[in-house]
Amino acid sequence: MAAVSPSVMRGTGLWHWAVFGGMLSAAGLPIYLHAPKFYVDQYGVNLAALGGALAALRLIDVVQDPVLGWLAGVTRRYTGVMVAGAAGVMALSMFGLFAVTPPIAPIWWFALTLTTLFTAFSYLTIVFYAIGVSRAQTLGTGGHLRLAGWRETGGLIGVCFAAVAPTALSQALPDPFTGFALGFAVVAALAVVLMRREWADAPNLPVHGFAALASTLRDAPARQLLLVALFNGAPVAVTSTLFLYFVESRLAAPGYEGAFLLLFFLSAALSSFAWSTLAQRHGAKRVLMAAMALSIATFIFAATLGAGDLVAFGVICVASGAALGADMTLLPAIFACRLASLETPGGEAVAFGLWSFVSKLSLAIAAGTLLPILDAYGFRSGQSNPDAALQTLSVLYALVPCGLKLVAMAVLAVTPAPES
């Protein structure tokens, strides 16, 4: 297919989707980057307890996501109000997590604030992606890929800012995480205002409730794509959970975490439109497979790194970040295309509840296993660690994601995938 010119893309007004996607992403992956280490360093909570809490919370999230998809469908006439309310809950939860001294035991406060944050985040994500299916159909040929390009690029830019914000703000504020929470609240309000017209289409969408769930699960390609999402999301969950520990302890480079995060997510953001354009020319599945192979090739080398290998890790951040740009742009677009071809139009919210379900499951498994394993091998954040703990950190951070990505590639290879 022909590539879409930048002028056409500007004319669609899709930059609003980029802003909202950025806001959501700022509350997603950075929680796994910052919150556990913040509670370890600030309140002395141990890694095993945090891992158990994150796994339990994500399993709750896994169960509730299909229900939230159904709720988004039956309350479609009030979508604008529901979105504003959920964004407000998410902002308050972020403030409570990072800016309020826990009034109860820190591990319980961690669990309480993350429960409300994750619930609001899940609802907003499901609605955002579901409305995107119908919006993309108004854009003509390649609409799903074009919308995904804007949405995921905005999301990756949001991750960039959220990932480095605490480090950057520490130079200007005595309490950078409070500044981060307040800044997030401002961005959330702006995103809700900018997207207000898009929710107006929601009342016109027919609702099929759990019939959409059954329809999605009956469709073999949709089931396979959900399986791809599970195994393809797991490497991101693994690396997000362990990134700060890897830089601080394996590379012996405390203070460089923000720079590497910026390099990684900026590479992902800058590559998103390129992947989208390549997918329109050569097919989304073929391009996604190439990006997944790139991810494996780069992360194999991460297992060989040790103290002081900063330049090599910077190269790995650029290459693996570019591969992430393809994952975040193309796989949701392929799934959205498949949903559009099923016989239950309007059931997108429920179907994306399933999509969110498998994404959260990978995060739950990662958090519930990796941190306790590190703790069992004697790893301690911010301290000198034995060789066995550091070797375990390298294996978990670099090699486990490669194995999971190989499984995802194998499933994708045998999955019929729509290309627009």
Side-chain angles (χ1 to χ4, degrees):
M1 292 175 225
V4 181
S5 70
S7 61
V8 172
M9 297 182 78
R10 284 195 296 270
T12 63
L14 296 179
W15 66 274
H16 299 99
W17 291 79
V19 174
F20 200 90
M23 181 273 293
L24 279 179
S25 293
L29 283 179
I31 293 303
Y32 284 85
L33 292 167
H34 297 311
K37 196 169 189 305
F38 177 78
Y39 272 73
V40 168
D41 296 344
Q42 195 79 6
Y43 303 114
V45 182
N46 68 60
L47 287 174
L50 285 171
L54 282 170
L57 290 172
R58 272 316 190 190
L59 288 175
I60 293 172
D61 224 10
V62 160
V63 172
Q64 75 176 357
D65 278 353
V67 178
L68 290 174
W70 169 81
L71 178 66
V74 299
T75 61
R76 67 200 187 282
R77 296 188 180 280
Y78 311 101
T79 297
V81 175
M82 295 282 287
V83 165
V89 169
M90 195 161 61
L92 287 173
S93 300
M94 189 78 78
F95 188 81
L97 179 66
F98 287 119
V100 174
T101 301
I104 56 178
I107 188 64
W108 289 108
W109 184 248
F110 177 84
L112 177 63
T113 52
L114 279 186
T115 298
T116 53
L117 192 153
F118 285 158
T119 300
F121 173 83
S122 295
Y123 171 80
L124 290 173
T125 301
I126 290 166
V127 171
F128 185 53
Y129 277 81
I131 296 294
V133 174
S134 45
R135 179 70 166 94
Q137 290 174 318
T138 69
L139 302 178
T141 302
H144 290 286
L145 291 172
R146 290 166 57 195
L147 180 62
W150 283 93
R151 181 182 59 209
E152 306 308 333
T153 298
L156 288 164
I157 292 172
V159 169
C160 287
F161 281 108
V164 302
T167 302
L169 290 173
S170 67
Q171 307 301 315
L173 299 174
D175 191 349
F177 281 96
T178 297
F180 170 66
L182 291 173
F184 176 81
V186 173
V187 173
L190 175 65
V192 169
V193 171
L194 291 176
M195 279 288 290
R196 67 191 184 280
R197 299 185 191 280
E198 298 290 348
W199 315 126
D201 291 334
N204 300 320
L205 298 176
V207 176
H208 296 271
F210 287 101
L213 184 66
S215 175
T216 303
L217 292 176
R218 280 196 303 267
D219 184 68
R223 289 198 308 271
Q224 290 172 295
L225 288 172
L226 288 168
L227 195 59
V228 173
L230 174 63
F231 284 104
N232 198 55
V236 178
V238 170
T239 55
S240 298
T241 302
L242 300 179
F243 185 91
L244 297 181
Y245 305 112
F246 188 85
V247 174
E248 179 185 65
S249 298
R250 192 55 175 148
L251 300 181
Y256 283 84
E257 297 92 344
F260 284 130
L261 283 171
L262 181 60
L263 198 61
F264 176 72
F265 287 117
L266 192 58
S267 176
L270 293 175
S271 70
S272 292
F273 276 128
W275 291 119
S276 180
T277 300
L278 286 171
Q280 292 178 63
R281 291 176 177 172
H282 304 293
K285 178 179 173 179
R286 182 182 303 173
V287 172
L288 180 57
M289 291 281 286
M292 294 164 81
L294 172 63
S295 180
I296 293 171
T298 56
F299 257 90
I300 285 176
F301 291 105
T304 69
L305 301 184
D309 291 332
L310 305 188
V311 174
F313 189 67
V315 173
I316 288 171
C317 285
V318 171
S320 59
L324 177 67
D327 286 346
M328 296 186 70
T329 302
L330 302 183
L331 193 52
I334 291 172
F335 186 65
C337 287
R338 187 63 198 176
L339 290 183
S341 71
L342 300 181
E343 297 180 356
T344 53
E348 293 89 355
V350 176
F352 268 106
L354 268 179
W355 185 262
S356 185
F357 172 102
V358 297
S359 299
K360 305 293 178 51
L361 183 59
S362 64
L363 287 166
I365 294 170
T369 57
L370 300 177
L371 296 180
I373 288 173
L374 278 181
D375 190 65
Y377 275 85
F379 181 85
R380 297 294 180 265
S381 176
Q383 301 179 22
S384 178
N385 287 284
D387 288 341
L390 294 177
Q391 287 293 341
T392 301
L393 178 59
S394 288
V395 170
L396 294 178
Y397 178 78
L399 298 184
V400 169
C402 291
L404 294 167
K405 186 73 77 169
L406 280 171
V407 176
M409 286 185 69
V411 178
L412 181 60
V414 298
T415 301
E419 301 292 354
S420 64

